Amino acid sequence: MDTHRWWRDAVIYQVYVRSFLDSTGDGIGDLAGVRAGLPYLKKLGVDGIWLSPVYPSPQHDHGYDVADHRDVDPVFGDLAEFDLLVGAARRLDVKVLLDIVPNHCSSEHPWFREALAAPPGSPQRARFHFADGRGPDGAEPPNNWHAMFGGPAWTRVTEPDGRPGQWYLHMFTPEQPDWNWRTPEVAADFDRTLRFWLDRGADGFRVDVAAGLFKHPDLPDSPDPEADARARDSVNPLAWNQPEVHEVWRHWRAVCEEYTRRDGRERLLVGEVSVPSAREHATYVRPDELHQAFFFDLLGAPWDADAFRKVISEAMQDIAGTGSTVTWVLNNHDQVRTVTRYGEPAPQGSGLGTARARAAALLMLALPGAAYIYQGEELGLPEVVDLPDDVLTDPIFRRTGSRARIRDGCRVPLPWSGQASPFGFTSGAEGAAPWLPQPDWFAEHATDRALADTRSSWHLYRDGLQLRSALPQLGEGTLRWLETGPDVLAFVRADDLVCAVNFGTTPVSAPVLGTPLLASGPCPPGVLPGSTAAWWINGS
């Protein structure tokens, strides 16, 4: 792999650290656990890992409420352990990306505490969005914006003299005040953060809420607050996708390129960009901005051949046209697991979701560009949908009282071995229980069982990654659609390798004949069973 362009067709594994592997017996995954799991990930065949936030945090949103951007929370280890992880990953040729959170911080961040202690109009408050309220005595929020995790986007503070005072903006929860990026001091501090981790060997950053840093300077009312309230990824155009944000990414790209010039290792910026269209998405990956941005449209597409073809075509036209490559995702720590999402409304355990998830995995790995895999997807893990209310930790549940959009079900700690919880996740017989309870049926998906069964989803992913690495047709390049019947999607890469997916439920004739290189289910030559996919070298 060309080290200067490694990211363009890389496959990155998302490690949700607190649920990956616990090395200390406290029931929470940690950096030492990630280091212990590196050989497993190398065997799977990924090119790098993206770590969820490991910074000091009160954990109101599991680390996305950052109290100190330049340290490690003791629950995950320390800076020395981070250095050991980077060194071990470097020896295995596995890249390490950190999750950086520039839109907001923790309400326990020292700068926010200073802001609460300072008067209105002070430089300390200018680092955030403080504003006077409306109505009698300022008792109403400054505008009608909704927080994405439920409720209003404003919280009123008590001033140092004890009187009710100004309001501050938080587009997620009150424990996560939004930075004011129109204050230069904020940008300068994040420069220090970037350089701190790059100097420690990080290969780049996944950028949280990359479209949300700037808000409309007048903070006006939203024209459709009810629509904003229904969206987890905000559609409020006054708080999202403001034009000034692109200057931030141009500067961060320049910082990364400065480090690349020093040692030849290209650092990566991949953004969480939630915008309405592929065309707007493309503006974030222009040659001098982010290297990549997650393309969520594939994740959100219904299980339908026409829908998949539409979003793939738009991505190839608008995003790849910038000179970047598309960054494909089917799942992450905020989404219902693929097996469950694709299986609905079929009953859990029907096998339909598993068949579709396997087919979608092969489709994603055959597409030109980069791909990100959420931990546990390679095990075929379904969503844990029946966690009791009293164990839920997602702030969405706390804010809304609804289970409709909660994310705990995809964050249950991984099963590694054995027949009962903790399934090898936490060390020692006397270790604490995993921070979220694991169901008994996790035994069917444990890593040791998956590795021993050559028909498992783990082997499908591993074989797909090996072929992707070995075949020059995969990775970068373009695709050409093939004419097929209804419910079938097929394309050819470099006039040689064919990927065909049957989105229907009945077997269909494949667009090419011959024994498939890789299939997601029993696949006789030239036939695709329902809800499956296969790769062929085109012999026609």
Side-chain angles (χ1 to χ4, degrees), residues 25 80 122 131 168 180 231-232 309 371 388-389 421 503 526:
S122 63
Y168 69 89
N180 181 4
R232 185 166 71 194
R309 179 167 179 160
D389 286 357
S421 183
F503 283 79

Side-chain angles (χ1 to χ4, degrees), residues 170 373 447 511 519:
H170 48 83
I373 300 170
T447 300

Side-chain angles (χ1 to χ4, degrees), residues 96-97 211 230 266 500:
V96 177
L97 307 182
R230 291 192 298 269
E266 190 160 7

Side-chain angles (χ1 to χ4, degrees), residues 142-285:
N143 65 29
N144 64 355
W145 294 3
H146 283 273
M148 289 188 293
F149 288 176
W154 295 90
T155 290
R156 197 174 194 185
V157 304
T158 300
E159 299 295 352
D161 62 6
R163 293 182 298 175
Q166 288 190 306
W167 299 70
Y168 69 89
L169 179 68
H170 48 83
M171 293 305 297
F172 291 88
T173 72
E175 293 83 15
Q176 294 165 286
D178 281 39
W179 293 109
N180 181 4
W181 274 81
R182 299 183 190 279
T183 299
E185 192 177 7
V186 173
D189 194 61
F190 271 96
D191 263 20
R192 290 189 283 271
T193 294
L194 287 178
R195 294 178 183 279
F196 178 87
W197 294 109
L198 291 173
D199 287 342
R200 298 195 87 93
D203 293 291
F205 302 93
R206 177 266 188 183
V207 184
D208 189 58
V209 194
L213 273 59
F214 284 84
K215 281 68 179 175
H216 190 290
D218 299 327
L219 301 176
D221 275 343
S222 169
D224 193 356
E226 295 307 314
D228 301 340
R230 291 192 298 269
R232 185 166 71 194
D233 294 320
S234 177
V235 295
N236 182 347
L238 302 169
W240 226 248
N241 202 23
Q242 296 290 299
E244 298 93 332
V245 75
H246 296 284
E247 288 302 319
V248 175
W249 308 137
R250 291 186 183 101
H251 177 70
W252 283 27
R253 179 70 174 259
V255 171
C256 287
E257 291 182 351
E258 173 191 328
Y259 278 77
T260 298
R261 288 192 296 270
R262 292 182 189 177
D263 59 16
R265 291 193 303 114
E266 190 160 7
R267 275 56 166 198
L268 169 65
L269 297 172
V270 54
E272 181 196 32
V273 175
S274 300
V275 291
S277 69
R279 185 164 298 177
E280 289 174 278
H281 180 112
T283 65
Y284 285 81
V285 292

Side-chain angles (χ1 to χ4, degrees), residues 13-23 27-41 44 49 51-52 76 85 374-376 378-379 411-416 422-426 435 438 447:
Y13 186 95
Q14 181 190 353
V15 176
Y16 195 72
V17 176
R18 67 186 296 116
S19 296
F20 185 71
L21 186 59
D22 169 25
S23 72
I28 299 173
D30 47 52
L31 290 176
V34 178
R35 180 159 57 94
L38 283 176
Y40 163 81
L41 297 175
L44 182 63
I49 57 175
L51 304 175
S52 59
F76 300 123
L85 171 61
Y374 179 51
Q375 68 178 36
E378 79 282 7
L379 301 176
R411 300 176 176 184
V412 176
L414 293 183
W416 289 87
F423 297 109
F425 165 73
T426 187
W435 70 277
Q438 301 160 304
T447 300

Side-chain angles (χ1 to χ4, degrees), residues 7-80:
W7 52 270
R8 292 183 63 86
D9 61 356
V11 177
I12 306 295
Y13 186 95
Q14 181 190 353
V15 176
Y16 195 72
V17 176
R18 67 186 296 116
S19 296
F20 185 71
L21 186 59
D22 169 25
S23 72
T24 63
D26 64 358
I28 299 173
D30 47 52
L31 290 176
V34 178
R35 180 159 57 94
L38 283 176
Y40 163 81
L41 297 175
K42 181 67 176 179
K43 184 175 183 179
L44 182 63
V46 299
D47 300 302
I49 57 175
W50 146 33
L51 304 175
S52 59
V54 294
Y55 317 107
S57 164
Q59 303 292 322
H60 290 295
D61 189 19
H62 292 166
Y64 286 92
D65 49 323
V66 181
D68 182 352
H69 291 79
R70 298 189 285 274
D71 203 350
V72 170
D73 194 303
V75 74
F76 300 123
D78 53 25
L79 287 171

Side-chain angles (χ1 to χ4, degrees), residues 108-109 170 192 253 303 324 353 509:
E108 297 185 19
H109 191 287
H170 48 83
R192 290 189 283 271
R253 179 70 174 259
W303 185 254
S324 181
S509 296

